[in-house]
Amino acid sequence: MNTADIARTLRLGFFYMLLNLKTIYRQPAALFFVVAFPIMFLVIFSSLLTFEIGIPPEAEGHVPVVKFSQYFVAGIVAVAIFGTSFNLLGTSLSIQQFDGTLKQLAATPLPKASFFMGLVGTALAYTILQLIIMIILGVVAYGVELPDAQGWLTLIWIILLGVPAGCVLGIAITKIIPSANAAPAVIQAPFIILQFISGVFFTLASLPTWLQWVAGVFPLRWLAQGLRSVFLPDAYKFAEPGMSWQLELAAIVLGVWIVAGLGLSILTFKWDRSG
Amino acid sequence: MPSVISINGVTKRYGSVTAVDAVDLEIEAGQVYALLGPNGAGKTTLIEILEGYRQRDAGDVSVLGYDPQRQRGELNRRVGIVLQRSTPMEGLTPREMLSFSARLYDHPMDTDEALELVGLAEHAYRRGSKLSGGQKRRLDLATSVIGNPDLIFLDEPTTGFDATARRQAWEVVRGLTERGATVILTTHYLDEAEHLAQRIGLIKDGRIIFEGDIAELRREMATDTRISWQPPIGLDLSDLLDEWKSVRAGPDGRLSLPTQTPTVDLARLIDWARSRGIDELPELQVERPDLEEMYLELVDDSQALDPAEPR
């Protein structure tokens, strides 16, 4: 590959992303799930559960008291990141495998790398849109406190690693989807299970160890924990497994998903299941 | 003219079914070539091997000098493909689709020109979900030529269309071929092949059983004249059947004699009838089946024998 080829791949990836964004934007159902769903969650849970969460006993010195909405915003941001990448991408890709859209695309000179870049770019763009809406809503309506500079940095790298990692899972799960009609159901099942075992609604420590291990294999648990480090005071790390935010481990797990998973899922990706 | 497509002994099997059976084919540049045959004959399997979608089990394939199985990326830059099924792309307008497609090629056609060419200019800003089947098909055609390809594949471009929509689609395809590209189309309509193609390959049970232009196809399929009549019930036909071994009886008892010397045979039949006291042969017909009838017979025959073509 020379420079011109790389420039072409990047350029076409960008335009493929724009095409995708436009398509999703014009599908009311998809738009609803992407944008409205996490916001509804945030509104409902934060309105119902107004209590404050307990300060970890190991914390020393003065620890600010945190409302549940502050805790929950971390989890729901994680779900938003994972939902857009895994859920939305997996569903739309699967449908496109069955309806012949990807078969037609495979007949064009669109580089495969541009195709997958466009997909990840689409998920990134929608994730960022969602996060902006949710954070503004959280701050204005529920008094969520904005992270500090360090927190913003962590948020950015978690998005940049979390979205591609979720996309890998979204691409991979298309392999086990038997038909276009089955796509939403097959994808919702692991999505819901992962939400319950990844410390989104309940703390990780309240789960049995083996379930913690299962959750630890998948990106969502690490997204949620990393985001708690963004939205909660540092002292709350004592409530986490290993009494730490485990950010290095999160980066490694997400990185492995991206590098190993993306390569494997691209190589085995099926462009045409319309027959 | 040099060959755009050159294939040798190409074979594709699905389990025990041989969908394409040792096919050889040479297609010259600038031609419109029709692969004509009934459903299940192997047309789509063959064209998808040429397009790079399917892997052959045996044989050599060269399309524009490339092996589609191994050099699909290079090939895709120079071919346009219309698949059997239209792609939905419901949220996008023809203009948006074509502008995106144009970016993929090195020397694309102007988007408006492509819309004009297929007669979609007035629907350029209409959502894909609001286009009719015929309009979607025209968008498929526009997408396939936007990159100014040297070779265009059309897999059953008008299947499911009414007569008017087919005529319109044919006009569009003619417009495409006037630009100088080689076109390969599959069809199970004889008249489509006749209207569009300079050369026809008749495919049945995975084999090319005839190749030539439409005049040659007519000669090839031209058969004997048929003398037929409806014998009265109870008439003893045994000596007639002995004399003419090739007489066949239809389900309604109608007798039919294929012959290359209709005048001689008709005279003999009349003599035979007179000797039985029949002056007037009931419902006598002397006819020559046309190409369409011959083709339909072939189609029916093979539909009865062949399982559905894997798509």
Side-chain angles (χ1 to χ4, degrees):
Chain A
M1 275 235 305
N2 57 36
T3 328
D5 282 341
I6 294 169
R8 177 172 180 271
T9 304
L10 290 172
R11 184 167 42 93
L12 293 180
F14 174 74
F15 283 112
Y16 186 62
M17 176 189 81
L18 288 188
L19 196 76
N20 267 322
L21 287 175
K22 215 178 266 179
T23 311
I24 297 172
Y25 168 72
R26 289 180 186 164
Q27 286 173 334
L31 199 65
F32 174 79
F33 274 100
V34 173
V35 178
F37 217 56
I39 294 171
M40 270 172 39
F41 259 52
L42 183 68
V43 171
I44 294 167
F45 276 80
S46 299
S47 311
L48 284 175
L49 310 170
T50 51
F51 56 83
E52 292 164 349
I53 59 172
I55 297 165
E58 298 87 348
E60 288 165 12
H62 173 73
V63 176
V65 172
V66 169
K67 284 199 292 187
F68 180 77
S69 53
Q70 187 80 27
Y71 177 87
F72 192 65
V73 85
I76 211 70
V77 165
V79 168
I81 293 174
F82 196 64
T84 314
S85 51
F86 169 70
N87 205 331
L88 185 73
L89 184 84
T91 313
S92 70
L93 261 188
S94 184
I95 290 170
Q96 291 185 345
Q97 281 175 332
F98 286 106
D99 74 9
T101 305
L102 296 186
K103 183 179 188 180
Q104 183 73 57
L105 206 61
T108 70
L110 178 73
K112 304 283 180 275
S114 308
F115 173 78
F116 288 105
M117 274 169 42
L119 290 183
V120 175
T122 308
L124 258 180
Y126 267 97
T127 304
I128 291 167
L129 173 72
Q130 274 180 316
L131 294 196
I132 291 172
I133 298 173
M134 286 191 320
I135 290 174
I136 291 176
L137 189 72
V139 170
V140 173
Y142 302 104
V144 168
E145 283 174 40
L146 287 177
D148 55 13
Q150 183 63 41
W152 282 112
L153 268 178
T154 309
L155 178 64
I156 288 168
W157 75 249
I158 284 178
I159 293 171
L160 290 180
L161 288 182
V163 169
C167 288
V168 170
L169 266 175
I171 296 165
I173 199 167
T174 60
K175 293 186 88 58
I176 62 158
I177 295 173
S179 71
N181 290 336
V186 174
I187 288 176
Q188 279 300 328
F191 185 54
I192 290 169
I193 293 168
L194 283 176
Q195 285 180 49
F196 278 98
I197 66 173
S198 298
V200 172
F201 303 115
F202 315 111
T203 54
L204 277 172
S206 60
L207 291 168
T209 321
W210 69 271
L211 260 186
Q212 289 187 35
W213 276 99
V214 172
V217 175
F218 296 99
L220 186 57
R221 176 218 185 277
W222 304 100
L223 290 177
Q225 191 177 17
L227 288 163
R228 283 194 293 276
S229 87
V230 173
F231 289 98
L232 295 181
D234 196 52
Y236 283 80
K237 70 184 173 200
F238 292 111
E240 300 287 336
M243 298 206 178
S244 139
W245 297 121
Q246 299 181 310
L247 291 181
E248 297 82 1
L249 202 53
I252 291 169
V253 172
L254 296 177
V256 168
W257 266 105
I258 296 168
V259 175
L262 200 60
L264 196 67
S265 48
I266 288 174
L267 281 177
T268 60
F269 187 68
K270 285 202 165 54
W271 294 86
D272 175 26
R273 299 179 71 187
S274 64
Chain B
M1 284 294 244
S3 283
V4 163
I5 289 183
S6 175
I7 74 174
N8 238 311
V10 167
T11 299
K12 177 75 186 176
R13 292 182 204 91
Y14 296 101
S16 60
V17 179
T18 305
V20 175
D21 192 357
V23 167
D24 301 334
L25 205 59
E26 295 282 332
I27 298 175
E28 286 174 10
Q31 275 187 345
V32 178
Y33 189 102
L35 273 173
L36 173 68
N39 291 328
K43 301 186 299 291
T44 295
T45 303
L46 180 55
I47 204 170
E48 290 198 344
I49 287 171
L50 300 178
E51 290 165 342
Y53 281 111
R54 288 172 200 269
Q55 314 276 298
R56 59 193 183 265
D57 293 324
D60 298 315
V61 176
S62 164
V63 179
L64 296 169
Y66 301 112
D67 179 347
Q69 207 155 304
R70 285 177 298 144
Q71 296 164 292
R72 197 170 177 203
E74 288 94 330
L75 186 63
N76 278 347
R77 289 184 174 221
R78 291 181 55 197
V79 300
I81 294 178
V82 171
L83 296 170
Q84 219 170 69
R85 260 164 70 173
S86 291
T87 1
M89 286 299 180
E90 289 175 350
L92 301 169
T93 68
R95 193 153 221 300
E96 288 165 340
M97 273 304 297
L98 287 173
S99 310
F100 172 73
S101 299
R103 291 183 193 282
L104 305 176
Y105 298 91
D106 298 331
H107 307 287
M109 196 187 282
D110 182 60
T111 306
D112 292 315
E113 195 188 336
L115 285 166
E116 200 70 49
L117 184 67
V118 300
L120 270 184
E122 57 185 310
H123 304 296
Y125 295 97
R126 184 178 277 213
R127 294 270 175 91
S129 52
K130 302 229 164 70
L131 296 177
S132 72
Q135 288 164 346
K136 276 187 187 153
R137 209 59 180 150
R138 281 189 259 166
L139 177 58
D140 292 338
L141 287 166
T143 310
S144 76
V145 293
I146 190 82
N148 270 317
D150 299 316
L151 173 63
I152 304 170
F153 292 103
L154 309 174
D155 196 1
E156 302 199 357
T158 68
T159 295
F161 281 20
D162 62 29
T164 324
R166 282 177 71 203
R167 300 241 157 227
Q168 286 170 348
W170 289 350
E171 283 310 308
V172 173
V173 173
R174 278 208 204 94
L176 305 185
T177 60
E178 278 161 17
R179 303 176 61 90
T182 310
V183 175
I184 298 170
L185 69 102
T186 69
T187 181
H188 54 251
Y189 300 121
L190 180 72
D191 57 340
E192 184 156 290
E194 191 172 358
H195 273 89
L196 294 174
Q198 280 112 45
R199 217 169 153 74
I200 295 170
L202 194 59
I203 184 167
K204 193 189 161 189
D205 301 337
R207 291 167 185 268
I208 305 250
I209 54 172
F210 162 84
E211 228 195 331
D213 61 22
I214 190 76
E216 287 168 326
L217 183 62
R218 278 184 195 291
R219 279 199 291 281
E220 173 76 17
M221 286 185 120
T223 45
D224 302 336
T225 303
R226 285 178 196 174
I227 302 168
S228 65
W229 60 292
Q230 185 78 47
I233 295 163
L235 182 67
D236 179 18
L237 298 165
S238 50
D239 53 341
L240 181 73
L241 296 177
D242 282 344
E243 192 177 346
W244 280 318
K245 300 285 184 212
S246 48
V247 166
R248 283 184 217 119
D252 51 355
R254 190 177 180 85
L255 292 180
S256 166
L257 175 73
T259 169
Q260 291 177 332
T261 52
T263 319
V264 173
D265 282 312
L266 186 59
R268 285 168 67 194
L269 179 64
I270 292 168
D271 287 345
W272 175 85
R274 285 207 176 117
S275 71
R276 294 286 181 286
I278 304 168
D279 286 330
E280 189 57 44
L281 289 161
E283 295 178 44
L284 175 68
Q285 273 186 0
V286 180
E287 63 185 347
R288 197 163 176 186
D290 66 8
L291 188 56
E292 187 74 26
E293 276 179 75
M294 292 307 299
Y295 175 66
L296 287 176
E297 263 176 36
L298 176 91
V299 170
D300 284 345
D301 176 33
S302 112
Q303 267 178 342
L305 293 173
D306 219 34
E309 180 172 358
R311 292 203 307 145

